[in-house]
Amino acid sequence: MNSSKRLLFGVLVSVSALAVTGCSQGGGATKTVADEVTIGISLPLTGDFSEPGKGVQRGYEAWAKYVNQNGGLMGKKVRLTILDDQSNADRVASDYEKLINRDKVDLVFGPFSTRLVVPAAQVAKDYGYLFVEPAGAAAEVFTKGFGNLFYAAPAVANDHYNYLAKTILAMPISQRPKTAAYASMDDPFAQGTAYGLKGKLEAGGIKTVVNEVYPPDTTDFGGIAAKIATSKADIVVGGTQYQDAVNLIVALQQLNYQPKLAAFSTAPTNPEFPKAIGDKTEGILAPTGYTPGAAWPSNVKFVDFYTKTNGNAPGEDEANAWTTGEVVAAAVEAVKCADPSPKCQAKLIDYLHKNTVETVVGPLSWDKDGRPQGAHLIQQYVKGAIRIVLPEVQKEADLLYPKPQW
Amino acid sequence: MFSGPLLLQSVILGVLLGGLYALLAAGLTLYFGVMRVVMIAHAAFLVLAAYLAWFFNRQTGLDPLLSLAVTVPLFFVIGVLMQRVLMSRLRPATLTMMSVLLTFAIAMFIEGMLGFVWTGTQRRIQLSYSGASIEFFGARIAVVKMIAFALAAVSLAGLYLLLKKSRMGQALRATIQHKEAAQLLGINTERIASYGFGLGLAIAAIGGTALSLDSTIYPSLHWRWIGPLMAIIVVGGLGSIPGAAAAAMLLGLAQSLLQLPMGTTWAQTVFYIALFATLILRPQGFFGGRLAQRF
Amino acid sequence: MLSASDLAPPAPPSHRPRPATVLRVAKGVALVVAVAAVLLFPRLAADPFILSVGVVIASYAVLATSWNLVGGFTGYISLGHAAYYGVGAYATALLIIKADVPPFVAWIVGALLVGLLAIPIGIAALRVRGASFVIVSIALVLILLLVFQSWGSFTGGSNGLRVPRPFSADVLRPEQHERFFYLHIALLSVVLLVWWVIDRSRFGAGLKAIREDEDKAESLGVPTVRYKLIAFVLSAFFTALGGGLYALWFGFLDPIFQFSILIGSYMVLMALLGGVRSLFGPAIGAVIVGVALEFFKSRYGDTQLHLVATGLLLALVVLFMPDGIIPALTNLVNRFRPTASSIQEMTAAELLQRDRAERPSETELSATEVADENTAVPR
């Protein structure tokens, strides 16, 4: 093979490839119409986080539609540009680069999942953009010095179970559980929720007899369930996402382990959950940032609008997305600007640091690192339906303790 | 230390796990023996079979095991076609590298199609007996795990009989042992190789269905299985089915027991440690298989 | 009309330039154009997004060429080369964070550490060949994934590791992209140089002998074990340099994205596509694959079809263009040129002289000739 010819071809190919990249990328830059507010978002629509990613997409789209039907943002129509980051950190960063530099969006909304939030927030920060995000709740997100980041939900991961911890520790000694088993996914969010509860319960004297951490792709929970079952712990706490909770619960059922209290993050808020574990949901607890039944004024409108357009009530992912929209809209309307200039974005960021915003999850305010200052609700399956049981002031049903057999 | 009941439970789980691993790994070692091909797509086919079982159950409401009647012959045919159309095109000089890349490409293709057709949502078959278990000396054996073990035992026994007693099986073994000698005996090794491939994929169909009974499935699940399965077949000896079965039982048991002191994550490293140990101490594998020397 | 018994060599036609000279001039011009295009790319790029894509492609080119140091020369296919990429990235990051080492010093030191680690790994892994070696390389990257995920206290685990920026805060992001683009190109040039030097050396000839037939090479006296190990360690070192540079540029490390078999297989795909036996092959493959990935993503991004497309591309390359895209295209072009007749009208010695003048690389010495001290042939 002739290396000079090879080189010639190679050089021609690479130069033309570079030219192709340089000139005609992805359909060309979109031109911003003067009376539109463009918002750029990157979501995991495919890949490992695609299920909740799609929920967030629905929420954003519903919000945009609602806003446009009700006078728009500062009188202008809102247009969303949503890209798919394939649940990949490299892609999410490059997506936001594209949205900010190529599409020149006015505002950005955050992606889904803590793993993707950090690289995305970095890009936003480097370009001076406000970054309100619906899904990065792990403690680590708030320790990286992102002054432009705000989490659009009531509480960070470690505080999700606060109300439950308080209630358990307030029980009389005879009723209070003595031992606890924890199983969490090696994921900053899932683990954060469980460890937040664990810290508080341990401080209150409840002994940890099992503390298991498993990799995210674990599908076989026989071993972990065996440890939990033989420890006969009074309560089991899962720092889980979705399918791992389902698998763990089935494994625990297979071993006939009957705890007095069972709490799992994320999974029980999913509408597929009851069917997946064989309708044996009675008594299972979960922290939730959102309930369709909450009486906040904007929530009533949200549930109404969403149900009419989508045919079913919104879930937590959709609500987090809607909240993000609400927060950004509040800042925009207050500061009266929505453009990519660092000056405008800085004004938006400043506003949110100093003010409280009314949303579908209640009033939200943040500390300087973007941590919201509220607390998550605790839901429970009571008589087959999800009911809020804590805090007392918002409860729809009494806390069921001890848990019936599953 | 660890209580009696916990140890017993772990041993039982380890045995059941080992059986499942044996079923999943058997096909993989077969492709290697027949054609010296590292079939990276094997795990992807397992997931495909699992999806088909789930889909069958969702559409018809019938037990997913019944889908085997369709998937086993289907996968056999796919295997034969794959060998005939794709593998035989590769040049023998660079067979290893090219087969790795080609089967990798097939795995990506399958993952992409699964995600396209059924989205990335994680699925799990919900059966009336999913949570049921049988008591055994103070420990509990999950019914679905027992069924998977039974499937493994039956399939491997069937495979063994096929290889030992039937003419095709004997021809296959001859091809695995020494291709040129088999050709001299008048065996059409190309055709036999395609049957070997088909057989490997047919077993993958059974394995995938067994997997679907007690596991969550999602398109990128195959990545999680490639490592452990490869480790199993190397430890067992490439090309040897009894070797793969023995290594699978051993490693399944080891993983289950090591979970007690070390936790799930570190217990998973047992596969790779065994793999490295095998390659350093006895590259041809511990349980038979003389093929794993210069390939 | 010339015949084989004519002793005088034919006079070269001096009235028109020989094809070889034309080609050489064209080659030189093309090289100059390409270098200019690459160096001017940051100016030519339409916006910082394109520039960031350029950085990514340059990074791929470094990785693919580094992989080729072992994969192309020795024929040992490592599908888990992302292991060195990941460890290089983490080593750089951890040295900066935990040991307060200045960023670019940490980068070099980190890669050196990986090179040192590669020695025992190579000694163990290179004991097996072919399929077993592939399996070992996959196992290596998977076990590193497990370790880096679980050892959270040291590596940050699943929470990820934030890498401090090497440049001061007033260097804006677009300029960062530009600086890192040039850094990657500089690194790429070094790796290309190393490849070129090896290609022309006895060491390289020994490696190629190993690729053709290891046993015969060994029996001819090529120190196979030592040569393989050197190539392996060099490849790991440069891959780690690529990983460290990525860490400095991207700023965030997550084990699940650094230690991935997918990255390793992209490296192989790129090298294979471009042609493993050529200097610029892997780099060209990197450009093609990088552009293709971006293209597939913008076309099919929100479905899983991009995986399908990548799989098909890989399958096509393996089945129809196993030597790489450039040889395949050139073969296609060669079909239309007048074919040489089979009856030679020159002696073998004259033929050899002519060939050597026209196509030097094809007449390179084989392992047997290198081993044979008596063949002192001038280059």
Side-chain angles (χ1 to χ4, degrees), chain B residues 93-94 96-97 294-295, chain C residues 68-77 122 125-130 133 198 201-233 277 364-368 370-371:
Chain B
T94 52
T96 307
M97 163 161 91
R294 317 289 211 166
F295 38 70
Chain C
N68 205 28
L69 287 176
V70 66
F73 280 132
T74 64
Y76 276 69
I77 304 301
L126 291 165
R127 293 187 68 197
V128 292
R129 304 184 195 174
F133 182 76
I198 294 180
S201 68
R202 269 180 82 137
F203 173 54
L207 290 176
K208 290 175 209 168
I210 294 175
R211 176 180 68 203
E212 304 303 328
D213 193 322
E214 187 163 348
D215 296 314
K216 291 208 186 81
E218 191 161 355
S219 60
L220 282 171
V222 175
T224 54
V225 173
R226 194 164 14 118
Y227 275 18
K228 279 192 297 189
L229 190 60
I230 296 176
F232 187 81
V233 171
R277 295 182 190 206
E364 67 195 14
L365 303 172
S366 71
T368 33
V370 171

Side-chain angles (χ1 to χ4, degrees), chain B residues 96-175:
Chain B
T96 307
M97 163 161 91
M98 293 305 173
S99 68
V100 164
L101 295 172
L102 184 59
T103 53
F104 191 85
I106 295 173
M108 286 180 78
F109 182 80
I110 293 178
E111 181 183 340
M113 290 308 291
L114 284 176
F116 180 63
V117 173
W118 285 305
T119 80
T121 309
Q122 299 190 337
R123 313 278 182 189
R124 192 189 163 121
I125 299 182
Q126 181 53 227
L127 298 163
S128 54
Y129 52 89
S130 281
S133 58
I134 303 181
E135 170 106 31
F136 184 78
F137 291 115
R140 302 206 71 92
I141 307 183
V143 167
V144 285
K145 291 198 204 290
M146 252 181 30
I147 294 179
F149 188 82
L151 268 177
V154 166
S155 315
L156 289 173
L159 189 63
Y160 178 75
L161 282 175
L162 187 69
L163 288 178
K164 272 272 188 311
K165 306 287 182 195
S166 78
R167 278 198 68 158
M168 197 271 271
Q170 288 169 350
L172 193 58
R173 277 166 52 221
T175 312

